[in-house]
Amino acid sequence: MRRFVFIGSCLAWMAAMAAMAALGPLGRYPSVSGVLYIAAFGFLILMVRWFPDTIAPLKALGVVFLLAIAARSLFIAYPVGNDVYRYVWEGYIQKFGVNPYRLAPDNPALAEFARTGLQTVWENINHKNFSAVYPPLSLLLFKFLAAVKPNPVFFKLCFIGFDLGVIVVLALICRIRRVPLSRLLLYADNPLLIVYSVGEGHLDVVQVFFLCLGLYILFRGHAGAAFFMIGLSFMTKYLAVIALPFLITRRNWKASLACL
């Protein structure tokens, strides 16, 4: 009975995700997309609740990854968010010695870049009058990716790689913390994550990767290396700093300085 309910929940969840992917951006058909979005979360809860408890750990991990990869494959062709065009632009102009913190995309000094090769990217940047606001590690990552291929889809695919890395790290955390692998579904098959990180290609997943990696290393007892990774998460997106007060103790406060 448990296995049949789980399989039915998985199929219903996958159908809802496939429908959202086919509809495109949530704002295009807000009512329908909203219903599908809520339904997908409901089916996700059922998947976690009715996950087969007799399945071997390795098989359970395989099921989680199979579902995660299947859902992500649906969103490969999903339109990227406007932010991704800024990622590409700010990475590309660094190759020519331009500081994105100093010059906004609409600065006349950058007009030549907008006309040659990156016109479509430039046209889709939102708030062109604002210079870069992302932390330094993000900009260095943009620079590296743009040196390989200044293309929004390529950037999104790389972020999906970080996303899959998060699942691996969380699986390791589940093992050492003795957390049921069914809980891993809450990240791996989360509609919010799949739509906005995998579908639209937002940067936040890189921050999450370094934060989770830092937590895993901290659980393994290597505080200095752990706080260094957590510091990298801050330098990817500043929001991660709110995790710091929950991680510092009397024993590791000196090691926590490594995040600086």
Side-chain angles (χ1 to χ4, degrees), residues 18-94:
M20 277 196 290
L23 287 175
L26 298 184
R28 184 179 295 173
Y29 304 102
S31 299
V32 178
S33 296
V35 171
L36 291 170
Y37 190 69
I38 294 170
F41 270 105
F43 294 131
L44 173 61
I45 293 171
L46 289 176
M47 289 160 61
V48 175
R49 173 67 179 80
W50 293 95
F51 195 89
D53 51 6
T54 57
I55 190 172
L58 194 58
K59 285 187 177 181
L61 191 59
V63 169
V64 171
F65 268 93
L66 180 62
L67 290 169
I69 292 172
R72 281 155 178 77
S73 65
L74 295 172
F75 285 81
I76 296 296
Y78 197 84
V80 300
N82 284 342
D83 289 347
V84 183
Y85 294 100
R86 178 175 284 272
Y87 305 162
V88 176
W89 173 263
E90 292 178 352
Y92 181 78
I93 62 174
Q94 287 182 75

Side-chain angles (χ1 to χ4, degrees), residues 79-81 84 87 155-156 159 195-203:
V80 300
V84 183
Y87 305 162
F155 272 57
K156 182 170 82 165
F159 294 153
V195 171
Y196 290 104
S197 287
V198 177
E200 294 194 355
H202 290 285
L203 172 70

Side-chain angles (χ1 to χ4, degrees), residues 86 89-90 93 98-115 122 125-132:
R86 178 175 284 272
W89 173 263
E90 292 178 352
I93 62 174
V98 178
N99 185 344
Y101 289 124
R102 296 185 60 190
L103 301 180
D106 68 349
N107 191 293
L110 303 180
E112 187 63 26
F113 296 113
R115 286 194 297 267
W122 184 85
I125 298 173
N126 55 11
H127 305 297
K128 294 184 180 68
N129 57 317
F130 290 160
S131 59

